[in-house]
Amino acid sequence: MIIYTSSLIPPLHNSLFVPSLSSYHNYNSSTSNMVSEKIQENIKLPIIDLSLEKSQIIKLIVKASEEFGFFKVINHGVDTNVIKKMEDESYKFFSKPYSQKQCAGPANPYGYGCKNIGLNGDNGEVEYLLLHANPNLSISQISKNISSDPLMFSCAVNGYVESVRELACTILELMAQGLRVQQTSVYSNLLMDLHSDSLLRINHYPPFNWTPHPLHHDCETSPNSCNSTVSKIGFGEHTDPQILTILRSNDAPGLQISPQKGLWVPISPHPNTAFSVFVGDTLQALTNGRFKSVRHRAMVNSCKTRMSMVYFGAPSPHARICCPLELVTTTPHKPYHLYRPFTWAEYKKATYSMRLGDTRLDQFFRLQSENDETITINNQTS
């Protein structure tokens, strides 16, 4: 099964206009602040069957990473029992009273968080568990505050992380082959490092009861009705700073990507056996800008609880991020480094010092624009 589009984004005049994220987030302040953004629902996003012939898979992954920075994978080899155990443990935790969940927090940096996203004032309609995904760092201690059966929870997390990390490494090696990088494990080795800074984040988005603003006379939605067209920010727009993101969600909608500024494409929660894959900022740098780190967000509505389990594959803090030489010399029209070399610790620090939706990679780490005529960099920058 392959569902893939190579077509460009359809004309924007066919789009549906809805209130923007900022409008919902600040809805009670003033209806005059409402602006329009475009939601395009008829764009088919790539779904790649990993059981196909290898050369075909590689072509599809490269194409999807260049066009969207996003794709889904099916027949990925992750055991359904491993997924179910992690989902069951997650639902158990989030079904607890708030006072009990607070015992696993605050998320500083790991643990339970609610509404607050990061340290710089970002908020959303989300509660979450943030866990370190390095198998060498035991989660047994924090598990005591998460589950009444810490061993079962730890086993579920470790089994899930091991499986999705293996999937991420497989995808990264296919990417390297598609880019004709000589050392095909150059990207996957970063995730397999003993000091990898990878994370597992479990997001829980409860449905909300939305009450129409008294000045918004056109809306007939009642506070207790289920209206999937009325949305509220769950997790604001951003790109992921890491290398590769592997996301698994239940059958509730809400995830959206922005392949171009001002345009949002909803991601269907189906097929429910699939994993969503996102190119991260670090992978964009490692591919010299050939693969795109896509902006995405999560919306919630009054219909159904949404839960996602997100693996963020990251290198070790001291790993040097610089694209392989092959991509500098063979990338068409880009015979130069787009980004200066940096360590993951350096990029992570820049990320945590900024707001969720801020642009980090191009603002602080780009050497030149694609239109610049300069094609060399000083050796002192490396």
Side-chain angles (χ1 to χ4, degrees):
M1 173 184 178
I2 309 176
I3 305 175
Y4 192 86
T5 177
S6 59
S7 61
L8 298 177
I9 304 301
L12 299 185
H13 63 263
N14 293 327
S15 302
L16 172 69
F17 287 82
V18 299
S20 72
L21 266 180
S22 58
S23 304
Y24 291 124
H25 192 51
N26 301 304
Y27 193 84
N28 290 327
S29 58
S30 173
T31 54
S32 63
N33 291 333
M34 296 182 68
V35 295
S36 294
E37 64 182 23
K38 302 170 183 67
I39 305 293
Q40 188 76 51
E41 296 186 348
N42 62 352
I43 296 176
K44 290 183 179 180
L45 296 172
I47 302 177
I48 302 173
D49 187 339
L50 295 185
S51 68
L52 295 175
E53 200 274 327
K54 186 176 180 179
S55 62
Q56 189 176 4
I57 297 173
I58 290 173
K59 289 178 182 178
L60 294 176
I61 286 178
V62 170
K63 187 177 181 66
S65 300
E66 290 178 335
E67 288 192 5
F68 294 101
F70 168 86
F71 53 93
K72 286 188 176 185
V73 292
I74 57 174
N75 293 321
H76 39 69
V78 179
D79 193 295
T80 55
N81 289 327
V82 171
I83 298 171
K84 186 177 186 304
K85 286 178 182 178
M86 189 69 257
E87 288 178 337
D88 289 347
E89 290 299 313
S90 301
Y91 280 121
K92 281 183 195 176
F93 174 77
F94 289 118
S95 65
K96 291 182 177 182
Y98 177 65
S99 58
Q100 293 184 26
K101 288 183 286 191
Q102 279 186 304
C103 294
N108 186 28
Y110 310 115
Y112 173 73
C114 184
K115 294 188 181 287
N116 293 327
I117 302 173
L119 304 173
N120 300 304
D122 292 294
N123 294 282
E125 294 299 317
V126 61
E127 57 177 347
Y128 59 89
L129 269 177
L130 185 62
L131 306 170
H132 205 291
N134 189 323
N136 296 298
L137 297 178
S138 174
I139 66 162
S140 58
Q141 189 61 38
I142 192 173
S143 296
K144 296 176 182 178
N145 296 323
I146 295 175
S147 173
S148 57
D149 191 336
L151 180 59
M152 181 177 291
F153 181 84
S154 297
C155 288
V157 171
N158 290 333
Y160 184 79
V161 166
E162 181 180 352
S163 295
V164 293
R165 182 177 63 246
E166 183 178 343
L167 173 61
C169 288
T170 297
I171 292 171
L172 287 171
E173 290 178 5
L174 292 169
M175 288 176 166
Q177 291 178 55
L179 294 170
R180 301 185 184 278
V181 175
Q182 186 174 0
Q183 185 185 351
T184 57
S185 61
V186 63
Y187 300 143
S188 61
N189 284 344
L190 294 170
L191 269 59
M192 296 303 295
D193 190 289
L194 291 176
H195 304 288
S196 166
D197 195 34
S198 299
L199 302 172
L200 178 66
R201 183 182 178 115
I202 308 168
N203 295 317
H204 182 247
Y205 304 92
F208 71 93
N209 290 327
W210 186 81
T211 304
H213 192 281
L215 298 179
H216 195 210
H217 302 296
D218 294 334
C219 184
E220 299 178 354
T221 306
S222 65
N224 297 316
S225 68
C226 179
N227 188 341
S228 61
T229 63
V230 178
S231 299
K232 196 172 183 180
I233 182 172
F235 205 107
E237 65 172 275
H238 63 285
T239 60
D240 294 333
Q242 293 87 356
I243 297 174
L244 200 70
T245 299
I246 307 290
L247 181 148
R248 167 83 181 190
S249 66
N250 64 353
D251 59 353
L255 188 60
Q256 300 177 349
I257 65 169
S258 179
Q260 68 183 51
K261 189 174 182 179
L263 177 69
W264 289 94
V265 181
I267 298 174
S268 170
H270 304 290
N272 60 6
T273 57
F275 280 96
S276 294
V277 181
F278 296 83
V279 171
D281 295 348
T282 303
L283 186 56
Q284 180 171 320
L286 286 168
T287 60
N288 208 32
R290 185 166 170 183
F291 291 176
K292 305 299 182 184
S293 180
V294 65
R295 297 183 77 81
H296 51 284
R297 69 188 185 188
M299 304 294 288
V300 295
N301 55 54
S302 60
C303 292
K304 190 173 184 179
T305 292
R306 180 173 180 270
M307 189 180 75
S308 63
M309 304 184 300
V310 195
Y311 170 79
F312 300 98
S316 69
H318 300 297
R320 186 173 182 271
I321 306 303
C322 184
C323 74
L325 184 60
E326 297 97 312
L327 298 182
V328 179
T329 57
T330 62
T331 304
H333 312 301
K334 297 179 184 176
Y336 50 81
H337 286 274
L338 287 181
Y339 305 100
R340 67 173 178 84
F342 54 88
T343 65
W344 168 241
E346 184 182 0
Y347 194 73
K348 183 178 178 180
K349 181 178 179 180
T351 298
Y352 286 179
S353 69
M354 303 174 72
R355 297 293 297 270
L356 182 65
D358 289 342
T359 300
R360 304 169 292 258
L361 188 61
D362 286 340
Q363 184 173 351
F364 295 110
F365 297 88
R366 194 179 183 100
L367 287 170
Q368 56 207 18
S369 69
E370 295 182 32
N371 296 323
D372 286 347
E373 295 182 356
T374 305
I375 61 173
T376 60
I377 60 172
N378 192 308
N379 289 333
Q380 294 180 353
T381 65
S382 60

